[in-house]
Amino acid sequence: GENVEQHPSTLSVQEGDSAVIKCTYSDSASNYFPWYKQELGKGPQLIIDIRSNVGEKKDQRIAVTLNKTAKHFSLHITETQPEDSAVYFCAAIYYGGSQGNLIFGKGTKLSVKP
Amino acid sequence: EAQVTQNPRYLITVTGKKLTVTCSQNMNHEYMSWYRQDPGLGLRQIYYSMNVEVTDKGDVPEGYKVSRKEKRNFPLILESPSPNQTSLYFCASSLYQEQPQHFGDGTRLSIL
């Protein structure tokens, strides 16, 4: 089945620095790659997503890049702020059966120190 | 306000006592799904539903049941809960499976 590997599992940065989280996937048919942010006591919330027909997408301080050949995609957060501290999950859609289902990475706990 | 509502938010119960966690969405979404979240394992899908009366197993369906009699509701049923089902559960919905999923705030279940 699909396997989504996410690294690192924890990441600590100083406020204002950049943070990068990387994911790899195994199913070459995957074509949808969302990123979710989960704050303490809350459900995951979509922050950005990318489809396989583009290589990069930006939304203010957040960007995602996709390399379909290498089967990896990355989340980039620039000018980090303390409120960026959370657990981030990548996901890839998997077409193992007749339907597509999201397979999640194990998460990255990001800590932004003031 | 667009939202996915789960109830209860917290539940402590005992082995073998049937329980149901309700999930309701007000966005007219076709796709709904249940996940469990365990430390170090991320989010794992239990069951999903493409539409009314259409449900299918995810990665970890053993010990769970679901139903989708109405578009807005997707309850998760534990017929005979066991301690290994102690976890944090999330319901999610999206317009279709390849669209952004909206998650509820979670239900923390403890099975003693």
Side-chain angles (χ1 to χ4, degrees), chain A residues 42-53:
Chain A
K42 300 261 184 171
Q45 186 171 16
L46 182 85
I47 54 172
I48 195 166
D49 57 7
I50 191 167
R51 297 184 188 273
S52 58
N53 56 346

Side-chain angles (χ1 to χ4, degrees), chain A residues 24-62:
Chain A
T24 60
Y25 61 97
S26 57
D27 183 12
S28 56
S30 293
N31 61 3
Y32 177 61
F33 307 92
W35 284 90
Y36 288 85
K37 175 184 181 183
Q38 186 178 24
E39 296 175 336
L40 203 60
K42 300 261 184 171
Q45 186 171 16
L46 182 85
I47 54 172
I48 195 166
D49 57 7
I50 191 167
R51 297 184 188 273
S52 58
N53 56 346
V54 298
E56 184 175 3
K57 184 176 178 181
K58 286 183 181 179
D59 183 3
Q60 299 182 355
R61 296 186 296 108
I62 293 172

Side-chain angles (χ1 to χ4, degrees), chain B residues 30-98:
Chain B
E30 304 279 336
Y31 183 88
M32 296 187 75
S33 182
W34 275 102
Y35 298 89
R36 62 178 288 174
Q37 185 175 25
D38 301 290
L41 296 178
L43 288 152
R44 294 180 294 166
Q45 190 178 53
I46 303 170
Y47 268 94
Y48 65 94
S49 170
M50 304 291 290
N51 210 330
V52 176
E53 301 293 359
V54 180
T55 63
D56 210 345
K57 296 176 181 178
D59 295 323
V60 289
E62 293 77 22
Y64 305 94
K65 283 176 59 177
V66 292
S67 69
R68 189 94 182 271
K69 294 189 173 71
E70 308 162 280
K71 195 180 221 181
R72 63 182 293 126
N73 296 322
F74 190 45
L76 178 70
I77 304 155
L78 285 71
E79 294 269 4
S80 183
S82 62
N84 65 8
Q85 293 177 298
T86 292
S87 188
L88 179 59
Y89 292 85
F90 287 101
C91 179
S93 74
S94 59
L95 195 55
Y96 304 110
Q97 73 269 34
E98 295 174 23

